[in-house]
Amino acid sequence: MSWLARGDTDQPLEPPSEFIIKVQDINDNPPQFVEGPYRASVPETSQVGTSVTRVTATDADDPVYGNSAKLVYSILEGQPYFSIDPNTAIIKIALHGMDREMREEYLVVIQAKDMGGHMGGLSGTTTVTVTLTDVNDNPPKFSKSKQNFVIPEDLAIGQPGGKVKANDRDIGENAKSTYNIIDGDERDVFEITTDAQTQEGILRLKKPLNFETKKSYTLKVEAANIRFDPNSGAPFKDTATVKIAVEDSDEPPVFSKPTFVLQVDENAPINTVVGTVTARDPDVTGSLVRYFIDRHTDLERQFNVNVDDGKITLAKPLDRETDMWHNITVTATEIRNHSQISRATVAIRVLDINDNAPEFATEYEAFLCENGKPGQVIQTVSAVDKDDPIQGHYFEYRLIPEMLNNPNFTIKNNGDNSISVLAKHDTFRRQKQEMYFLPIIVTDNGNPPMSSTNTLTIRVCGCSREGIVQSCNVEAYVLPIGLSMGALIAILACIILLLVIVVLFVTLRRHKNKPLIIKDDEDVRENIIRYDDEGGGEEDTEAFDIATLQNPDGINGYLPRKDIKPDLQFMPRQSSGPNGVDVDEFINVRLHEADNDPTAPPYDSIQIYGYEGRGSIAGSLSSLETASSDSDQNYDYLREWGPRFRRLGELYSVGESDKET
């Protein structure tokens, strides 16, 4: 919009005008593939015309004006495998039967040109990587149609004997196969399994091999894909013939039976033949066999076996009542190779013979009431027999001949291998006879019959009117009336308790009367006597007893030391009693005697103190009986204590010098 204006008034000379300026587009922008480069996939062997992917290019020019934005698509590289629609840019399969196994990946170059593809137009390109995905179009294939294996005959059941593999050019799930034995002789001897990791078929043994029986096997093995295309019909598969040769191995001997059952009579003599075990070497060479008994199964060494022919004999007599069955293990070993050993179980049954006499089932003790009636059953008796006859047990009971006509008891057969003992009268009294013994003979029906004599003990008891036993002792008649057995037991217990108390009291009194101090040579100890009286001076002669300073035992004679053996014999002096003796003179005389007597102890008296009791673990408290010797101590320090202890130091020094001399 523009206008004209007057210069002095600034007024428009004419009304404003509008101008529209339109910019005309030219083809100055090429097409661009914003989302490229592209990746796409398509199944192999797809039909011609199968869509692969679609590409898109954009042009910045004005699509309305001219053909600047009109694009046309074409393939620069990728023919003849692929084609593209020039307008829709859809890429399609152009070649039939594209095989992934031949070529898996293709690089396609796509061009987009504006101006409708005419000359002078601008263009842009992009790439499309096309990958062929796998389909199951290849069957598994054995590398060899005939395969051979050699398997030793001693291969364990379940162990692998060989491997086969069928290769498949497909990949992933399409390459997985399964193996089966579809034909062959004795197919139940082998089985084949598939290894999921290696895709191999593994032949395993289901039954033992025997080179001497069958030396080779021929099997037909099939490998088939697990997945298949339903349009292709049956799954892809391939077959191969597998021939297995059995290799001869040195095998252990083989027993004719895995278990032998033998029997022998009990108490049969030693060396009786129980039975025979047989084994043979299955190898072609046929080595001889030796037999042995595993002594871990025959610890008591009751059997022997002949090493050459396998005859088992008795080494000890057998008792069926102790062990009815004996299970031993017999080994067979090749002479040529001792490492080849086989074992067989031998069960030996011990047959019963009648070698045990019947006896009472228990130790019976019958009770007979004084007020019983004649013919009443006193006791029912049965017997047992350790033997086990085939026809069963039958026992015959009878009294010994001396008791057939006894006036007191009789027996009655109950018909079930038991008898009842009956009383003949009702005049049994405890005062007359308290206990009866009835010997009974029990005989079995064995061959030869065995018998034993068993004694039934019958007690005469006092019973209630209902026949309940109350007392079976004769002493019950001499008990005072009204005093029960419980009361008698209580009285007896009290008497025993009083006797125990009296014995304890006498023992304690004797223990207290024993002296606590035992004066003997081994209990010489010191006794320190303290005097706390304060004297009144030299003139005070009555403040203390002068006799305390004297040795009362040494007044009339010399008292030798008890702790050492004196080297010199000091003659005892004659002394008068303490009455009328001047104290000062008395003390000086005693001091002079003590200074000149090397055997005198450095103390005034010997007493016993610190008694610890008999057997004290503390021992003596006195230094006189110490285990250490004088030579272990040094007494030089006594001379440093002053003149009063100088003499004492010289005495101990003299003692040490004498010992050294």
Side-chain angles (χ1 to χ4, degrees), residues 531-567:
Y531 295 92
D532 296 332
D533 297 336
E534 184 177 355
E538 295 181 355
E539 297 179 357
D540 186 4
T541 60
E542 298 179 359
F544 59 90
D545 187 4
I546 189 75
T548 305
L549 299 177
Q550 298 176 350
N551 189 347
D553 296 331
I555 295 178
N556 298 325
Y558 169 69
L559 182 64
R561 289 186 62 175
K562 296 183 179 182
D563 56 333
I564 64 173
K565 182 177 181 180
D567 297 333

Side-chain angles (χ1 to χ4, degrees), residues 425-492:
H425 58 82
D426 58 354
T427 58
F428 295 97
R429 295 294 179 267
R430 280 177 288 175
Q431 300 90 336
K432 181 180 178 181
Q433 186 171 347
E434 179 187 7
M435 189 177 301
Y436 293 88
F437 298 99
L438 184 63
I440 300 175
I441 299 176
V442 185
T443 306
D444 61 19
N445 59 335
N447 185 19
M450 302 288 291
S451 63
S452 66
T453 302
N454 301 263
T455 302
L456 176 64
T457 302
I458 303 174
R459 290 181 177 274
V460 181
C461 304
C463 303
S464 63
R465 293 181 179 179
E466 293 77 13
I468 300 175
V469 176
Q470 293 182 336
S471 175
C472 297
N473 297 325
V474 179
E475 289 78 2
Y477 279 96
V478 299
L479 295 177
I481 300 175
L483 195 60
S484 64
M485 182 63 69
L488 287 175
I489 294 175
I491 294 173
L492 182 60

Side-chain angles (χ1 to χ4, degrees), residues 60-85:
D61 294 328
D62 187 0
V64 178
Y65 180 77
N67 294 324
S68 299
K70 186 178 181 180
L71 304 179
V72 176
Y73 299 91
S74 62
I75 293 180
L76 299 181
E77 294 183 14
Q79 295 176 341
Y81 306 105
F82 301 96
S83 63
I84 188 170
D85 189 288

Side-chain angles (χ1 to χ4, degrees), residues 110-160:
I110 304 298
Q111 181 189 60
K113 189 175 182 181
D114 58 11
M115 299 298 292
H118 297 290
M119 186 177 296
L122 302 178
S123 64
T125 61
T126 187
T127 60
V128 179
T129 303
V130 180
T131 302
L132 298 182
T133 58
D134 185 58
V135 297
N136 191 14
D137 58 342
N138 292 281
K141 188 69 175 178
F142 286 102
S143 59
K144 297 180 181 179
S145 60
K146 293 184 179 181
Q147 302 190 29
N148 299 311
F149 296 100
V150 177
I151 299 178
E153 66 171 329
D154 58 354
L155 182 69
I157 295 177
Q159 292 298 313

Side-chain angles (χ1 to χ4, degrees), residues 319-384:
D319 186 8
R320 190 204 66 87
E321 287 70 38
T322 303
D323 287 308
M324 184 182 299
W325 285 92
H326 296 269
N327 295 318
I328 63 174
T329 299
V330 177
T331 62
T333 306
E334 290 184 8
I335 296 179
R336 183 182 55 198
N337 187 357
H338 296 290
S339 62
Q340 296 296 338
I341 302 175
S342 59
R343 291 173 170 81
T345 301
V346 180
I348 301 174
R349 180 185 179 185
V350 182
L351 301 179
D352 182 52
I353 64 172
N354 193 31
D355 59 344
N356 291 279
E359 57 187 12
F360 280 177
T362 184
E363 293 184 2
Y364 294 102
E365 185 177 15
F367 299 96
L368 173 63
C369 294
E370 290 180 315
N371 57 354
K373 298 179 180 180
Q376 70 174 8
V377 177
I378 302 173
Q379 181 70 46
T380 300
V381 177
S382 61
V384 293

Side-chain angles (χ1 to χ4, degrees), residues 39-110:
R39 297 192 67 88
S41 62
V42 65
E44 63 174 331
T45 67
S46 297
Q47 298 294 326
V48 175
T50 302
S51 176
V52 178
T53 187
R54 180 177 182 179
V55 297
T56 303
T58 59
D59 196 324
D61 294 328
D62 187 0
V64 178
Y65 180 77
N67 294 324
S68 299
K70 186 178 181 180
L71 304 179
V72 176
Y73 299 91
S74 62
I75 293 180
L76 299 181
E77 294 183 14
Q79 295 176 341
Y81 306 105
F82 301 96
S83 63
I84 188 170
D85 189 288
N87 297 319
T88 61
I90 297 176
I91 302 174
K92 300 178 180 179
I93 297 292
L95 184 64
H96 177 74
M98 296 180 65
D99 191 2
R100 184 201 65 83
E101 288 74 30
M102 299 297 295
R103 183 176 177 180
E104 183 176 4
E105 193 173 86
Y106 296 86
L107 183 63
V108 181
V109 179
I110 304 298

